[in-house]
Amino acid sequence: MLVRKATEEDFTQIHPLIIKRTEEFGLPTSHVPNLKKFVEDYSSNSPKFYCLVCELDTRIIGYVTYSYAYSSWIGRSININELYVLLGYRDVGQLPMLHRLVNITLELKCLQVKCSAPDNTEFSKFLVENGTSVMSKEDGYSLYNLEAEGFKKLGAMPQI
């Protein structure tokens, strides 16, 4: 298994996963940008988001999209937009992607990672089990935060 930066070509495999995730949440797929828009937003001179993929035998089984943020009172941080791994591979794919993202966070001297996720899901349980704290809850979603102590736990892992 390999966790690496996505390439433009990877979006032919990532886009169907995004559609699948949307369907799993019972959301309309008509709101999902098309493949061309994803590639354009990812590869522009000023990328709108960044992406890592989890690959097993040349097949992409998961992805994490994220962006950078800045707060005048905290400094640099990373916002996870989505972290998704196909069912059946989550036990081997989610944690390595989170490790890699924490390593990126440490390399860039960011002070926190934030993520919003629906309550009472497999993913929300995964976040709490791996060092995040709940900052707020609203309308069935929680805002999760991972700071320095959690970085030490997760960032100490070898890069994948």
Side-chain angles (χ1 to χ4, degrees):
M1 182 175 41
L2 173 69
V3 176
R4 61 173 175 77
K5 181 181 174 183
T7 65
E8 289 180 31
E9 294 78 23
D10 290 332
F11 281 90
T12 58
Q13 291 185 63
I14 297 168
H15 193 261
L17 294 178
I18 292 169
I19 298 291
K20 185 169 184 54
R21 179 189 180 278
T22 303
E23 291 170 344
E24 286 178 9
F25 279 121
L27 300 171
T29 58
S30 59
H31 297 292
V32 175
N34 64 35
L35 177 61
K36 182 180 176 192
K37 181 68 173 153
F38 269 109
V39 172
E40 181 181 295
D41 287 348
Y42 180 71
S43 60
S44 67
N45 286 339
S46 179
K48 309 303 181 261
F49 69 96
Y50 299 87
C51 185
L52 300 174
V53 294
C54 184
E55 188 176 60
L56 185 62
D57 300 326
T58 70
R59 178 181 177 212
I60 294 175
I61 60 167
Y63 66 91
V64 59
T65 58
Y66 61 97
S67 56
Y68 299 107
Y70 189 85
S71 166
S72 59
W73 53 279
I74 291 178
R76 291 180 271 187
S77 65
I78 288 181
N79 292 331
I80 297 174
N81 304 316
E82 288 186 344
L83 191 156
Y84 179 78
V85 177
L86 286 169
L87 190 61
Y89 297 99
R90 291 179 182 158
D91 58 336
V92 296
Q94 284 181 323
L95 195 55
M97 283 198 298
L98 187 58
H99 285 168
R100 181 64 190 118
L101 193 56
V102 166
N103 284 326
I104 290 169
T105 303
L106 292 168
E107 290 165 12
L108 297 174
K109 297 182 176 36
C110 295
L111 298 177
Q112 65 182 354
V113 176
K114 291 183 183 178
C115 179
S116 178
D119 293 333
N120 303 316
T121 63
E122 180 184 336
F123 185 59
S124 63
K125 290 175 187 140
F126 165 79
L127 289 170
V128 172
E129 289 169 0
N130 287 285
T132 65
S133 59
V134 177
M135 293 180 61
S136 64
K137 289 180 172 250
E138 187 175 331
D139 297 329
Y141 283 80
S142 293
L143 178 61
Y144 297 90
N145 190 45
L146 181 65
E147 293 184 333
E149 287 305 309
F151 289 172
K152 290 175 187 172
K153 177 182 173 186
L154 291 169
M157 304 306 260
Q159 288 198 11
I160 296 175

